[in-house]
Amino acid sequence: MKSKMRRFTWVVVGAGCILAVLLLPQSCRSKTRVQQRTGAAESAVASYVAPGDVDPYYLFYSGGHSGQIYVGGVPSMRHICTIPVFSPYPATGYGFDKETKEMLGEYTWGDAHHPALSETKGDYDGRWLFINDNANNRIARIELRDFKTRQILGPIPNVSGNHGSTFVTPNTEYILAASRFSIPLPKGTMAPIENYASQYKGVVAGISVDPNTGQMALGWEILMPPFNYDLGDAGKMASEGWAFWTCYNAERATGKLEVTATQKDRDYIVAVDWKAAEKAAKEGKVKTIDGVKVIDPKDVQGVVYLLPCSKSPHGVDVSPDGKYIIGSGKLQSITTAFNFEKIKTAIAKKDFSGQEDGIPVLKYESIKDAEINVGLGPLHTQFDDQGFAYTSLFVESAVAKWKLGTWEVVDKIPITYNIGHLATAEGDTVSPDGKYLVALNKLSHGRHLTVGPSQPECSQLIDVSGEKMKMLYEAYTEPEPHYAQIIKADKIKAIEVYQKADSKHPNAIWDVKDARVERKGNNVNVYMAAVRSSFEPNKIEVKQGDRVTIYLTNIEQTTDELHGFGLNEHNINVVVDPGETKVIEFVANKPGVFPFYCTNFCSALHQEMQGYLLVGGGKPGQSQLSKAAGAQQ
Ligand code: K7E
Ligand code: CUA
């Protein structure tokens, strides 16, 4: 979204923001800085978490094209850890051991946009965290028991550009997925771009989740017109059983979309009765496309509808009571509150204005409750516990606070530059906490110590407990947060060590006496223990070409006693937590003696924690640099 929005900044802002700047920002921005300074002490106290104390909330930021998730505390905004998801991360050994390497498969990056905490009865339950990969059409599940990525599902068949994901239904029955970029289906089909409007297809989907294990599997998909499906949210309370996605390019255009896809006044919000979709899939009213049950709305009525909304919408957000569906056109200064009751009535009365590929289109006037004058470039909306909504204004660089039901804008706060998403405490649940709002900003424009051209991303912590929003704190992170969710800290019960009694790894060893090297043909299996401050065995002798498998168990049961295993000149670094077993596989194709050592500081004698891999049978003097030097002579 960022690059798109950046372009949007310079193009639309060329017109829109000049206006905005004329209207207020100049004075407003300088005023903000002054206000920040005068209220500094108060704000500092409000975000202060004393050394040794912990924050009452976790903040899970998506890491965008870094492929990771960043974890922070609120209100301190301290970065606590990084959870590697779609990209290798040597700090935790992620992507180097057998299990995580296999999970990453052929991709070493992802574009992670929307973290979604699992829910029970519409409330975060602290069990899992899901996140989408917009680039490679995958969804990952992180266990909050140990903050580790445990499953990556995908690439999901037929889904192309999985951006409108991973919003969850109120009991985590389904995770939403959708195609941002329509393509010919099934994947692998070629069709000329000139035939886009007829041969390309969009998909919206529900990925099923096992309620006990969190294991994700393909659920149902719905064949959609070739629009661009952007963002989603699940219905809750009054609208439970429904799912919503925005889409742009109702024009079915190709080429320069900023021109070709903004011709019509309205795009759509897709409304899916997912219980009906589930039923249709169960009853076999589907086509199988690339192994997935796909519902074609031309054949099955009553599953999907289109709600016209302002053109080029981005976010769609369901109010905590589920009664209102909030959607905004990025090019406008209003956001629309659709009334779910009215949507149901219109569907019952077949109050349609037409159809698109067999999908009934409802009438805007029949289903909207209000157009709220929030300000320029509304993107996303979050909620608090007092019946207020907060909409991010990208063009205006502000957050508007407005009241659900009376539709009155009651406050506005300027944000540094170009806010994208925003997150309130427990803001996507049926019972938000209010208190804090984090603005996730697209540009930081030198508000920080200079770090060269690639500047950090900025987020701002805002106090939303009072009538007026108050700016408290500013924090920076690596590229690039899109969305974030904030959960009460006490909902997450993370373990501190893997208990030996729970270890089910068939090749774990728990006593240094069991450490050994076994050869079977060309396969060498090493059963290794790591414990302060040595590896057992600390010598592995193999022949060039042998396939080596190391089962490395950290037999410590003490909190925070991690060990690492780095092997010189082999691109291998694995980290084992206390009580954890990891499998390291490689072919010993280089002859010579290679030290391995503990990479994770563990004790006073951490430096002594080392050993040797001895690879016999090859020719010495084959190093790359000497070869290159030889070539030059
Ligand atoms: Cu607005 Cu991908 Cu949700 Cu970027 S997205 S901001
Ligand atoms: Cu073990 Cu450092």
Side-chain angles (χ1 to χ4, degrees):
M1 160 101 289
K2 177 164 169 178
S3 58
K4 189 174 71 193
M5 289 317 262
R6 242 184 204 161
R7 203 177 346 115
F8 181 62
T9 318
W10 309 132
V11 178
V12 174
V13 176
C17 218
I18 288 171
L19 179 74
V21 164
L22 287 178
L23 288 179
L24 75 146
Q26 271 306 32
S27 56
C28 220
R29 281 204 183 124
S30 44
K31 205 167 102 204
T32 316
R33 290 219 171 168
V34 174
Q35 275 170 352
Q36 276 173 0
R37 281 181 197 133
T38 51
E42 206 186 316
S43 297
V45 170
S47 62
Y48 183 68
V49 175
D53 286 352
V54 296
D55 285 287
Y57 290 96
Y58 284 97
L59 172 71
F60 292 98
Y61 285 106
S62 67
H65 50 286
S66 78
Q68 319 294 44
I69 286 177
Y70 302 112
V71 186
V74 172
S76 76
M77 302 299 282
R78 288 172 188 149
H79 173 234
I80 308 167
C81 77
T82 296
I83 305 173
V85 183
F86 296 116
S87 309
Y89 189 57
T92 63
Y94 186 80
F96 294 88
D97 67 306
K98 184 172 191 279
E99 185 191 342
T100 56
K101 239 180 166 170
E102 283 175 1
M103 208 160 49
L104 289 174
E106 61 178 300
Y107 304 106
T108 53
W109 79 289
D111 191 5
H113 281 233
H114 307 113
L117 290 152
S118 57
E119 295 180 10
T120 300
K121 292 188 180 149
D123 230 330
Y124 301 149
D125 58 21
R127 297 206 286 171
W128 310 301
L129 177 67
F130 301 93
I131 193 150
N132 64 320
D133 169 11
N134 181 46
N136 304 308
N137 307 316
R138 296 173 297 170
I139 296 176
R141 186 186 80 251
I142 291 112
E143 292 275 348
L144 293 175
R145 172 181 174 264
D146 56 7
F147 281 55
K148 294 215 172 110
T149 304
R150 291 298 178 193
Q151 187 191 3
I152 296 179
L153 180 83
I156 302 166
N158 309 319
V159 169
S160 162
N162 185 30
H163 188 259
S165 184
T166 55
F167 318 93
V168 300
T169 56
N171 288 295
T172 322
E173 298 95 334
Y174 290 99
I175 297 167
L176 308 193
S179 287
R180 182 166 146 213
F181 314 111
S182 292
I183 53 167
L185 295 179
K187 286 179 191 172
T189 307
M190 223 308 279
I193 203 86
E194 290 72 28
N195 298 355
Y196 181 84
S198 57
Q199 278 186 284
Y200 286 51
K201 293 286 169 210
V203 161
V204 295
I207 301 297
S208 67
V209 179
D210 183 295
N212 298 312
T213 63
Q215 193 72 11
M216 299 177 286
L218 298 170
W220 42 262
E221 293 183 354
I222 302 172
L223 210 54
M224 299 294 292
F227 307 152
N228 296 62
Y229 299 87
D230 197 9
L231 272 157
D233 199 6
K236 53 185 103 149
M237 307 290 279
S239 51
E240 181 158 357
W242 288 72
F244 305 93
W245 284 272
T246 50
C247 61
Y248 54 95
N249 194 15
E251 292 81 357
R252 310 183 188 216
T254 57
K256 203 176 163 86
L257 289 195
E258 70 181 352
V259 178
T260 58
T262 52
Q263 304 297 311
K264 294 190 184 178
D265 277 345
R266 299 234 178 270
D267 281 302
Y268 297 113
I269 291 172
V270 180
V272 169
D273 179 343
W274 66 255
K275 295 207 167 153
E278 190 179 51
K279 190 158 165 271
K282 264 198 198 117
E283 290 170 355
K285 294 177 180 163
V286 288
K287 310 176 177 180
T288 302
I289 304 179
D290 202 4
V292 191
K293 291 175 178 168
V294 182
I295 298 161
D296 187 338
K298 283 199 195 91
D299 307 332
V300 187
Q301 303 296 307
V303 171
V304 53
Y305 302 90
L306 294 170
L307 326 177
C309 75
S310 307
K311 69 173 159 189
S312 304
H314 191 45
V316 55
D317 298 283
V318 180
S319 63
D321 57 11
K323 288 183 183 163
Y324 302 108
I325 320 300
I326 315 298
S328 330
K330 292 186 295 240
L331 307 172
Q332 296 203 312
S333 61
I334 54 137
T335 190
T336 304
F338 296 94
N339 183 320
F340 187 70
E341 269 308 309
K342 290 185 180 176
I343 293 170
K344 278 205 306 195
T345 307
I347 290 170
K349 287 204 207 142
K350 297 204 179 345
D351 181 14
F352 305 139
S353 66
Q355 54 89 30
E356 297 256 19
D357 295 3
I359 306 170
V361 176
L362 279 63
K363 292 181 188 146
Y364 180 79
E365 288 302 329
S366 318
I367 56 175
K368 75 136 211 249
D369 242 20
E371 290 177 343
I372 303 104
N373 229 315
V374 285
L376 284 176
L379 291 189
H380 304 280
T381 299
Q382 283 271 285
F383 306 93
D384 72 5
D385 56 334
Q386 311 284 325
F388 290 102
Y390 300 81
T391 300
S392 58
L393 305 171
F394 176 82
V395 176
E396 201 173 310
S397 285
V399 172
K401 173 181 178 178
W402 50 277
K403 184 91 182 163
L404 286 157
T406 70
W407 318 120
E408 219 187 324
V409 176
V410 296
D411 191 24
K412 209 176 248 194
I413 190 167
I415 298 299
T416 56
Y417 296 105
N418 300 108
I419 178 173
H421 276 277
L422 71 184
T424 53
E426 304 240 326
D428 286 303
T429 69
V430 295
S431 58
D433 280 15
K435 293 186 186 145
Y436 300 110
L437 181 153
V438 174
L440 304 157
N441 307 337
K442 293 301 170 194
L443 305 172
S444 53
H445 272 333
R447 285 174 69 89
H448 44 78
L449 286 173
T450 176
V451 289
S454 183
Q455 307 196 349
E457 308 298 332
C458 170
S459 44
Q460 292 181 305
L461 178 73
I462 295 161
D463 176 352
V464 292
S465 60
E467 221 173 282
K468 288 287 220 185
M469 292 181 274
K470 255 192 278 173
M471 182 64 68
L472 298 182
Y473 193 75
E474 202 161 283
Y476 297 89
T477 179
E478 288 178 61
E480 109 138 1
H482 289 266
Y483 194 30
Q485 281 191 331
I486 302 173
I487 178 176
K488 269 196 201 84
D490 60 12
K491 284 190 180 171
I492 294 180
K493 311 261 185 278
I495 57 166
E496 297 207 333
V497 299
Y498 295 100
Q499 296 296 331
K500 179 182 169 186
D502 299 337
S503 168
K504 291 190 185 75
H505 204 287
N507 295 309
I509 58 162
W510 290 93
D511 193 318
V512 291
K513 290 202 296 277
D514 299 323
R516 63 197 187 273
V517 179
E518 285 177 358
R519 169 178 290 280
K520 280 184 196 133
N522 291 330
N523 294 312
V524 176
N525 294 323
V526 182
Y527 300 83
M528 184 182 277
V531 63
R532 273 163 291 170
S533 296
S534 65
F535 294 107
E536 287 296 337
N538 52 40
K539 180 186 79 173
I540 304 168
E541 272 192 85
V542 300
K543 290 200 292 282
Q544 190 179 22
D546 281 344
R547 170 165 283 281
V548 182
T549 307
I550 302 172
Y551 302 103
L552 174 63
T553 303
N554 176 352
I555 66 175
E556 309 261 4
Q557 291 284 280
T558 311
T559 301
D560 214 7
E561 273 304 336
L562 284 66
H563 297 287
F565 178 94
L567 177 59
N568 273 20
E569 296 187 13
H570 277 73
N571 196 37
I572 286 171
N573 177 51
V574 161
V575 175
V576 274
D577 293 353
E580 190 178 37
T581 302
K582 277 187 177 168
V583 182
I584 305 160
E585 280 184 337
F586 63 97
V587 176
N589 47 22
K590 293 191 230 181
V593 173
F594 300 95
F596 54 83
Y597 68 101
C598 179
T599 48
N600 206 105
F601 190 90
C602 54
S603 68
L605 295 177
H606 155 78
Q607 210 68 351
E608 278 76 357
M609 192 164 172
Q610 62 170 64
Y612 287 100
L613 169 75
L614 303 108
V615 185
K619 266 199 249 156
Q622 297 291 304
S623 77
Q624 298 233 357
L625 281 179
S626 78
K627 274 195 233 168
Q632 277 162 18
Q633 277 159 17

